[in-house]
Amino acid sequence: MNIIHPARRPVLLALLVLALLAAVLPAAAQATPTSTPLPITAPLPVPVATFEFEGFVEAIGPGTITVNGLTLDTSRAYVKGRAAALGDAVKLEGVLSNSGQMVAYELRVVDPARRDLRPGELELVGMLTAMTQNRLTIGGLPMDATNAEFGSGVGIGQLVKVHATLNAQGQWVIREIEVASADDSDGEFKITGTISEMGDGYIVVNGQRISIANAEIEGPLAIGALVEVHLLFVDGQWVASEVKLEDGEDDSDDDQDDDSDDDADDDQDDSDDDDDDHGDDHGDDHGDDHDDDSDDD
């Protein structure tokens, strides 16, 4: 029987450990990835119209929100300020896709007493493609125009802006329709997200490659930066007209303050007009009394 001398045992143990490590380490190195791949993001939906929508939150699901009976896709929405909860008044901005889906790119909680639109009212800017009696099709979306107020020049082939609400039967009912203004007719919408890749004349935001070759850029762009991108879909390509750094702060109060200031200015103007009318009336009355007194004398 072979007996291992006690002095040689540590050497043999060390050789055994080295052999085991030599067998295990290559397999471990092969199994460990060198980098974590980024999650694959579906392409941005092709827009056929842009929208704004306000109302009260009735349900919140994974990547969706239901507001005044309308369910919207919020999987790509940037939340300004705090997250929405059931019962909150919210405003959403986004696009109507060519598949008929309402895709929100921005969501924020608003003060219900200082909103821009009526609760449950949709503001949609899109192409009027069909017009038969009281039925219109805008951006592929059928709408009832039975009691709508029509602006001048509305016709097939025009880019129009409508205000409409969803009725109990799930039909969009137009309150008013007009030819879109210059501000509405550029077809732009905006997304907010983090830059994950940059290259010569392009950035990748929310998994989407966007050309910035002719964009107005505000602030130094870098991977990881949160940006707001104003987009157009041109010849099958996403093109940015403007890219600016986003501070992540909620500016909805500022927007509403501006609206409030405008309303206050309008009220002040009306008040000034009333004062002028009162002054005119007072002057006229005073002049009439003076003439009457002169005639009596």
Side-chain angles (χ1 to χ4, degrees), residues 11 15 20 52 64 72 85 119 129 137 139 143-145 167 184 190 200 213 228-229 241 262-263 266 273 275 287:
V11 175
L15 290 173
L20 288 173
E52 293 184 11
T64 64
L72 304 97
T129 56
T137 302
M143 293 186 158
D144 181 0
N167 66 13
D184 300 318
K190 63 184 178 181
D200 185 17
E228 179 181 279
V229 186
S241 63
D262 292 340
D263 293 339
D266 291 340
D273 291 340
D275 290 341

Short mmCIF file of all heavy atoms in Angstrom, two decimals, residues 11 15 20 52 64 72 85 119 129 137 139 143-145 167 184 190 200 213 228-229 241 262-263 266 273 275 287:
data_model
loop_
_atom_site.label_atom_id
_atom_site.label_comp_id
_atom_site.label_asym_id
_atom_site.label_seq_id
_atom_site.Cartn_x
_atom_site.Cartn_y
_atom_site.Cartn_z
N VAL A 11 1.14 20.02 -1.27
CA VAL A 11 1.48 20.21 -2.68
C VAL A 11 0.44 19.55 -3.57
O VAL A 11 -0.03 20.09 -4.57
CB VAL A 11 2.89 19.66 -2.97
CG1 VAL A 11 3.21 19.75 -4.46
CG2 VAL A 11 3.92 20.41 -2.14
N LEU A 15 -2.19 21.27 -6.28
CA LEU A 15 -2.27 20.85 -7.68
C LEU A 15 -3.70 20.46 -8.06
O LEU A 15 -4.19 20.76 -9.15
CB LEU A 15 -1.33 19.66 -7.92
CG LEU A 15 0.18 19.97 -7.87
CD1 LEU A 15 0.99 18.68 -7.94
CD2 LEU A 15 0.55 20.91 -9.01
N LEU A 20 -8.87 21.83 -10.89
CA LEU A 20 -10.31 22.13 -10.87
C LEU A 20 -10.60 23.53 -11.41
O LEU A 20 -11.53 23.74 -12.19
CB LEU A 20 -10.85 21.99 -9.44
CG LEU A 20 -10.95 20.56 -8.91
CD1 LEU A 20 -11.32 20.58 -7.43
CD2 LEU A 20 -11.99 19.77 -9.71
N GLU A 52 -54.83 65.98 -28.60
CA GLU A 52 -54.78 66.32 -27.18
C GLU A 52 -56.10 65.86 -26.60
O GLU A 52 -57.15 65.97 -27.24
CB GLU A 52 -54.60 67.83 -26.97
CG GLU A 52 -53.27 68.37 -27.43
CD GLU A 52 -53.09 69.85 -27.10
OE1 GLU A 52 -53.92 70.40 -26.34
OE2 GLU A 52 -52.15 70.47 -27.62
N THR A 64 -51.53 51.15 -20.37
CA THR A 64 -52.77 51.77 -20.85
C THR A 64 -53.38 52.63 -19.75
O THR A 64 -53.10 52.45 -18.57
CB THR A 64 -53.82 50.72 -21.27
OG1 THR A 64 -54.22 49.95 -20.13
CG2 THR A 64 -53.29 49.81 -22.36
N LEU A 72 -56.28 54.56 -23.93
CA LEU A 72 -55.13 55.01 -24.72
C LEU A 72 -53.90 54.20 -24.35
O LEU A 72 -53.76 53.73 -23.21
CB LEU A 72 -54.86 56.50 -24.48
CG LEU A 72 -56.00 57.47 -24.75
CD1 LEU A 72 -56.73 57.80 -23.45
CD2 LEU A 72 -55.49 58.76 -25.37
N ALA A 85 -53.44 58.94 -10.82
CA ALA A 85 -54.18 57.98 -10.01
C ALA A 85 -55.65 58.02 -10.42
O ALA A 85 -56.09 58.94 -11.12
CB ALA A 85 -54.02 58.29 -8.52
N PRO A 119 -63.88 68.37 -20.32
CA PRO A 119 -63.61 66.98 -19.91
C PRO A 119 -64.13 66.00 -20.96
O PRO A 119 -65.27 66.11 -21.42
CB PRO A 119 -64.38 66.85 -18.60
CG PRO A 119 -64.53 68.24 -18.09
CD PRO A 119 -64.64 69.11 -19.30
N THR A 129 -60.61 62.98 -45.15
CA THR A 129 -60.51 62.14 -46.34
C THR A 129 -61.86 61.71 -46.90
O THR A 129 -61.92 61.24 -48.04
CB THR A 129 -59.68 60.87 -46.03
OG1 THR A 129 -60.28 60.18 -44.91
CG2 THR A 129 -58.24 61.25 -45.68
N THR A 137 -64.64 61.42 -42.16
CA THR A 137 -63.52 60.57 -41.79
C THR A 137 -62.27 61.43 -41.72
O THR A 137 -61.90 62.07 -42.71
CB THR A 137 -63.31 59.43 -42.81
OG1 THR A 137 -64.51 58.66 -42.89
CG2 THR A 137 -62.16 58.53 -42.37
N GLY A 139 -58.27 61.36 -40.49
CA GLY A 139 -57.17 60.49 -40.08
C GLY A 139 -57.59 59.04 -39.98
O GLY A 139 -57.08 58.28 -39.16
N MET A 143 -66.40 59.97 -37.85
CA MET A 143 -66.97 60.89 -36.87
C MET A 143 -68.35 61.37 -37.31
O MET A 143 -68.61 61.51 -38.51
CB MET A 143 -66.05 62.09 -36.66
CG MET A 143 -64.72 61.75 -36.01
SD MET A 143 -63.75 63.25 -35.63
CE MET A 143 -62.65 62.65 -34.37
N ASP A 144 -69.20 61.65 -36.32
CA ASP A 144 -70.54 62.14 -36.57
C ASP A 144 -70.52 63.67 -36.52
O ASP A 144 -70.11 64.25 -35.51
CB ASP A 144 -71.49 61.59 -35.51
CG ASP A 144 -72.93 62.04 -35.69
OD1 ASP A 144 -73.21 62.79 -36.65
OD2 ASP A 144 -73.78 61.64 -34.88
N ALA A 145 -70.95 64.30 -37.62
CA ALA A 145 -70.94 65.77 -37.68
C ALA A 145 -72.35 66.35 -37.78
O ALA A 145 -72.55 67.44 -38.30
CB ALA A 145 -70.10 66.22 -38.88
N ASN A 167 -69.49 59.30 -27.55
CA ASN A 167 -70.82 59.11 -26.97
C ASN A 167 -70.96 57.69 -26.40
O ASN A 167 -70.02 56.88 -26.44
CB ASN A 167 -71.93 59.41 -27.99
CG ASN A 167 -71.95 58.42 -29.15
OD1 ASN A 167 -71.32 57.36 -29.12
ND2 ASN A 167 -72.71 58.76 -30.19
N ASP A 184 -50.94 74.41 -36.48
CA ASP A 184 -51.39 73.02 -36.42
C ASP A 184 -50.93 72.20 -37.62
O ASP A 184 -50.80 70.99 -37.53
CB ASP A 184 -52.93 72.97 -36.39
CG ASP A 184 -53.51 73.68 -35.19
OD1 ASP A 184 -52.95 73.52 -34.10
OD2 ASP A 184 -54.51 74.40 -35.35
N LYS A 190 -44.36 65.56 -30.35
CA LYS A 190 -43.13 65.48 -29.55
C LYS A 190 -43.10 64.22 -28.70
O LYS A 190 -44.14 63.72 -28.27
CB LYS A 190 -42.97 66.72 -28.68
CG LYS A 190 -44.05 66.91 -27.63
CD LYS A 190 -43.85 68.22 -26.87
CE LYS A 190 -44.97 68.43 -25.86
NZ LYS A 190 -44.83 69.70 -25.12
N ASP A 200 -23.42 60.03 -36.41
CA ASP A 200 -23.32 61.16 -37.34
C ASP A 200 -24.70 61.51 -37.88
O ASP A 200 -25.24 60.81 -38.73
CB ASP A 200 -22.38 60.79 -38.48
CG ASP A 200 -22.13 61.98 -39.41
OD1 ASP A 200 -22.41 63.12 -39.01
OD2 ASP A 200 -21.67 61.75 -40.54
N ALA A 213 -30.08 65.77 -38.58
CA ALA A 213 -29.18 66.48 -39.49
C ALA A 213 -29.54 67.95 -39.64
O ALA A 213 -28.66 68.83 -39.71
CB ALA A 213 -29.18 65.80 -40.85
N GLU A 228 -36.36 66.27 -25.15
CA GLU A 228 -37.66 66.42 -25.80
C GLU A 228 -37.39 66.61 -27.29
O GLU A 228 -36.63 67.49 -27.68
CB GLU A 228 -38.42 67.62 -25.24
CG GLU A 228 -39.78 67.84 -25.87
CD GLU A 228 -40.48 69.06 -25.30
OE1 GLU A 228 -41.08 68.94 -24.21
OE2 GLU A 228 -40.42 70.14 -25.93
N VAL A 229 -38.01 65.77 -28.11
CA VAL A 229 -37.76 65.78 -29.55
C VAL A 229 -39.04 66.11 -30.29
O VAL A 229 -40.07 65.45 -30.08
CB VAL A 229 -37.22 64.42 -30.04
CG1 VAL A 229 -36.82 64.51 -31.50
CG2 VAL A 229 -36.04 63.96 -29.19
N SER A 241 -37.14 68.18 -35.91
CA SER A 241 -36.99 69.60 -36.23
C SER A 241 -36.36 70.35 -35.07
O SER A 241 -35.75 71.40 -35.25
CB SER A 241 -38.36 70.23 -36.55
OG SER A 241 -39.20 70.16 -35.40
N ASP A 262 -53.75 85.05 -19.74
CA ASP A 262 -54.44 85.46 -20.96
C ASP A 262 -55.91 85.75 -20.67
O ASP A 262 -56.47 86.73 -21.13
CB ASP A 262 -54.33 84.37 -22.04
CG ASP A 262 -52.91 84.22 -22.53
OD1 ASP A 262 -52.12 85.17 -22.34
OD2 ASP A 262 -52.58 83.16 -23.09
N ASP A 263 -56.53 84.83 -19.87
CA ASP A 263 -57.93 85.04 -19.53
C ASP A 263 -58.10 86.32 -18.72
O ASP A 263 -59.03 87.08 -18.92
CB ASP A 263 -58.47 83.85 -18.70
CG ASP A 263 -58.53 82.58 -19.54
OD1 ASP A 263 -58.56 82.71 -20.79
OD2 ASP A 263 -58.55 81.48 -18.96
N ASP A 266 -57.87 89.21 -20.96
CA ASP A 266 -59.11 89.37 -21.72
C ASP A 266 -60.19 90.01 -20.85
O ASP A 266 -60.91 90.90 -21.29
CB ASP A 266 -59.62 88.00 -22.22
CG ASP A 266 -58.70 87.42 -23.30
OD1 ASP A 266 -57.94 88.21 -23.90
OD2 ASP A 266 -58.74 86.20 -23.52
N ASP A 273 -63.17 98.06 -21.75
CA ASP A 273 -64.17 98.42 -22.75
C ASP A 273 -65.44 98.91 -22.07
O ASP A 273 -66.08 99.88 -22.49
CB ASP A 273 -64.51 97.21 -23.64
CG ASP A 273 -63.34 96.85 -24.55
OD1 ASP A 273 -62.48 97.74 -24.76
OD2 ASP A 273 -63.29 95.70 -25.04
N ASP A 275 -65.62 100.29 -19.13
CA ASP A 275 -65.36 101.62 -18.58
C ASP A 275 -65.48 102.68 -19.67
O ASP A 275 -66.03 103.76 -19.44
CB ASP A 275 -63.95 101.67 -17.96
CG ASP A 275 -63.88 100.85 -16.67
OD1 ASP A 275 -64.94 100.54 -16.10
OD2 ASP A 275 -62.75 100.51 -16.27
N GLY A 287 -73.73 115.77 -21.81
CA GLY A 287 -73.88 116.72 -22.91
C GLY A 287 -75.34 117.00 -23.20
O GLY A 287 -75.73 118.14 -23.46
#
